[in-house]
Amino acid sequence: MQQQKSKKILIYFFLLLVVSSINNIFSINKNDLINEIELNSLVEKYLIFKRYPSTLDIKIEKTKFLAKINKNGQIFYLGSNRKFTKNDFLNNQLPYIFGNPDLIEFFSIKEIIDKSKISYSEIKNLYFFPSKRWDLELKNNTIIKLPNDNTNLALNLAIEFLYDNEFINNKIIDARIENQIILDD
């Protein structure tokens, strides 16, 4: 709850700085205002509406943080707005990304996960390899090794084994080979 409050205060403070130097609603340069808002990594969506003669309504939706990642020795949060936010607070609920994926690669695997039978909230860590493939470590410490190609199919096949009571004690589900699952406990 404290985190949400401090983020709201940060956004309100940001808007106060942007708007405080404006004396007249007619003198506002809309492009300057848009640029200032878009520079803020916490903003997902916004709507600006001028209500004449003296009111400027700005509605802002905060981005949703999806993961943590180490960039140049510092921890950043990756938001759903595809922007990095410096880690100024502790959130151990988010998965950590190991490796150095491009944003498009992360959002591609995120979309595959969202379309699969596994919940993104079950993921503890994501491992990205230079070969452009992913491993998923779940909160129950099971690792799912995914291939470069047909990742959708491989993930759904691995999930069938994950939830099968006969294979509940397996800690590694290797789906890298097409049409084959290798289990290791």
Side-chain angles (χ1 to χ4, degrees), residues 25-85:
I25 195 169
F26 295 105
S27 68
I28 297 173
N29 181 334
K30 188 172 184 176
N31 288 333
D32 288 343
L33 184 58
I34 288 171
N35 287 339
E36 285 296 322
I37 292 172
E38 287 181 352
L39 284 175
N40 190 311
S41 63
L42 297 176
V43 176
E44 175 80 28
K45 296 179 188 174
Y46 62 91
L47 178 65
I48 302 171
F49 183 73
K50 291 182 182 178
R51 273 194 304 167
Y52 295 103
S54 62
T55 304
L56 183 65
D57 288 338
I58 302 174
K59 295 185 186 218
I60 293 180
E61 184 179 316
K62 183 182 77 66
T63 193
K64 180 182 176 193
F65 293 121
L66 302 174
K68 299 177 283 192
I69 189 166
N70 185 329
K71 289 276 189 194
N72 301 321
Q74 292 187 313
I75 305 236
F76 289 88
Y77 287 104
L78 177 56
S80 55
N81 62 358
R82 298 176 183 253
K83 294 181 182 176
F84 294 103
T85 301

Side-chain angles (χ1 to χ4, degrees), residues 102-124:
D102 292 332
L103 287 177
I104 195 161
E105 291 161 332
F106 169 75
F107 282 97
S108 175
I109 193 68
K110 171 75 168 79
E111 184 178 332
I112 289 169
I113 293 167
D114 289 343
K115 289 179 179 178
S116 75
K117 299 171 189 167
I118 195 165
S119 169
Y120 185 73
S121 64
E122 290 182 58
I123 297 173
K124 179 174 158 185

Side-chain angles (χ1 to χ4, degrees), residues 161-172:
F161 284 90
L162 179 70
Y163 295 129
D164 189 327
N165 287 334
E166 188 176 334
F167 305 106
I168 199 109
N169 292 325
N170 290 73
K171 290 300 177 190
I172 297 176

